[in-house]
Amino acid sequence: LFNDFAVSPSSIEQAVDFRHPFRNPCVLRYRRIHQEEEDRNKIFDSTTCPITSEVFSSPSLALAQGPKTFVSLPLDKLPKNGDLVAIDCEFVALSTEEFKVLADGTRVVTAPPRLSLARVSCLSGDGTVFIDDYIVTPENVEDHLTRFSGLVPGDLDPKSSKHHLIPLRIAYMKLRHLVDRGCIFVGHGLNKDFRVINIFVPPENILDTVELFYLGHRKLSLAFLASYLLEEKIQGRIHDSIEDARTALKLYQKYETFRDQGILQEKLHEIFEQGQRRNYK
C-alpha cells in the first residue's frame, strides 16, 4: 500500500508504455548498466535529493498577469519546524459522479467524481498569504464546482488565466517541502483534503478545526463556526480559499484562548446548543 493506493508488480512492457493519457511517469530512476545486483535492489533513498525551498520561486505559466494575491517570502523566512501554516484547498472534477437507480427509485452512487487539486492557499501564523497557486491540469475539467471552489472556466488555462498558475508537480513539491520542514497545518477538513491530494502529513502536524470543535454530535461547518465565534459571514456567493484558510487560523486562535482559560468544554457545549437553535446556520 502506497499513499492509499495498492501497488502491484507489472511487466517491463507495461512499465514503459505511456501511450494511454492516464499514464504519466512521476518518478524516473536511472542506474548504470553494469551496476551490481546488490546495489540495484537497494531502496531509493529520497534524502539524497531533497526538495529545496527554491521550488517556491517557480514562475507562473499564465500568459496574462493579474493582481498578485500573495507575498513571495524570502527563502529564509518560510515557515519552519513547529510554525503554523493555515491552508485551504479547492478542487475541480475531472469526471462526474456515476450512479444507478434501483427498482424502488433509490439512487445509488457507483463511482464518485474524480477530483483534482485546482487551488491551494497557505498563510503563515501571522496571517501573511505566501502561497496562492492555481493548478493547471493536462486533463479536461468536467466541472469546475464553482459554487464550492470559486473557480470558473479559464482560471486554469495558461492562455486566459490571470492567476499564479503552476503544474501539479510544483504544487506537490511545495506542500511536501513544508511537511518535511515540520510545519503544523491548520485548516478545516484537512484530513479529507490531504487524502484527495494524496499526500501524507503526520497526524501530530495537523490542527483540524473540524475535529477541534467536535463534541460527538455532528461536524460543524466553517461558515457556522465563523458566524457564531467570530461574528463573520464567509462563503457568501462563492468560496475563497484565502478567506477559508484565514478563518480556520482565527478559529484555532479562539480554540487556544478557550483552552488556556479553562472554558473549552463549556464553550463546546454552548456552541452545539446554539447550533441546534440556529439550525447550524
Side-chain angles (χ1 to χ4, degrees):
L1 197 65
F2 183 81
N3 273 24
D4 293 337
F5 287 88
V7 179
S8 58
S10 63
S11 66
I12 295 177
E13 291 75 18
Q14 288 177 318
V16 296
D17 181 8
F18 300 114
R19 290 174 297 176
H20 302 287
F22 63 87
R23 302 187 68 184
N24 291 313
C26 57
V27 177
L28 297 177
R29 182 186 177 192
Y30 298 87
R31 67 173 178 84
R32 296 182 185 277
I33 295 176
H34 302 296
Q35 187 177 7
E36 293 294 331
E37 185 70 23
E38 181 181 346
D39 294 335
R40 227 182 344 167
N41 293 328
K42 286 182 178 178
I43 296 176
F44 178 68
D45 183 4
S46 62
T47 61
T48 61
C49 56
I51 299 171
T52 65
S53 54
E54 278 70 23
V55 70
F56 289 87
S57 303
S58 301
S60 173
L61 300 177
L63 299 180
Q65 296 294 326
K68 197 170 183 180
T69 55
F70 65 97
V71 176
S72 298
L73 293 178
L75 300 182
D76 61 340
K77 299 296 184 182
L78 288 171
K80 53 187 182 302
N81 183 43
D83 288 349
L84 295 181
V85 172
I87 182 173
D88 188 70
C89 303
E90 306 294 353
F91 301 90
V92 292
L94 302 181
S95 65
T96 55
E97 179 181 87
E98 297 179 14
F99 64 92
K100 63 180 180 181
V101 179
L102 304 181
D104 61 359
T106 305
R107 186 174 183 270
V108 179
V109 175
T110 57
R114 188 161 60 92
L115 302 179
S116 179
L117 181 64
R119 184 184 179 188
V120 56
S121 302
C122 292
L123 286 66
S124 58
D126 63 1
T128 300
V129 182
F130 68 96
I131 292 178
D132 188 29
D133 292 334
Y134 288 69
I135 318 301
V136 62
T137 173
E139 298 186 59
N140 181 59
V141 176
E142 189 73 26
D143 188 347
H144 284 79
L145 306 174
T146 302
R147 178 186 170 192
F148 306 104
S149 69
L151 300 166
V152 297
D155 279 347
L156 309 180
D157 186 344
K159 293 180 290 186
S160 57
S161 179
K162 294 183 179 180
H163 306 292
H164 190 264
L165 198 63
I166 62 172
L168 182 60
R169 178 177 62 88
I170 298 298
Y172 276 134
M173 292 172 69
K174 288 184 178 182
L175 293 178
R176 184 76 259 165
H177 181 81
L178 293 174
V179 172
D180 292 343
R181 286 174 78 99
C183 296
I184 309 297
F185 292 90
V186 180
H188 196 79
L190 289 186
N191 290 319
K192 178 183 177 181
D193 284 356
F194 289 145
R195 185 172 65 251
V196 175
I197 295 171
N198 193 29
I199 187 171
F200 174 75
V201 180
E204 61 270 22
N205 285 33
I206 298 177
L207 294 170
D208 195 331
T209 50
V210 165
E211 304 300 333
L212 295 179
F213 290 97
Y214 179 59
L215 200 58
H217 300 77
R218 61 176 287 172
K219 302 293 179 70
L220 302 177
S221 70
L222 186 68
F224 169 70
L225 289 171
S227 173
Y228 183 70
L229 292 177
L230 306 177
E231 298 183 347
E232 294 180 5
K233 184 177 181 179
I234 64 170
Q235 301 175 347
R237 189 170 59 88
I238 55 175
H239 288 209
D240 179 81
S241 54
I242 291 178
E243 179 183 58
D244 288 358
R246 180 172 283 116
T247 300
L249 181 61
K250 291 179 180 179
L251 287 173
Y252 174 66
Q253 292 166 345
K254 278 283 186 182
Y255 174 88
E256 280 191 310
T257 299
F258 297 153
R259 183 192 59 196
D260 294 344
Q261 293 177 349
I263 58 173
L264 178 59
Q265 289 302 311
E266 175 187 337
K267 280 293 182 181
L268 287 177
H269 285 286
E270 176 187 313
I271 291 168
F272 277 90
E273 287 174 4
Q274 290 298 319
Q276 290 177 334
R277 293 176 184 173
R278 298 167 51 169
N279 198 24
Y280 297 98
K281 294 181 180 179

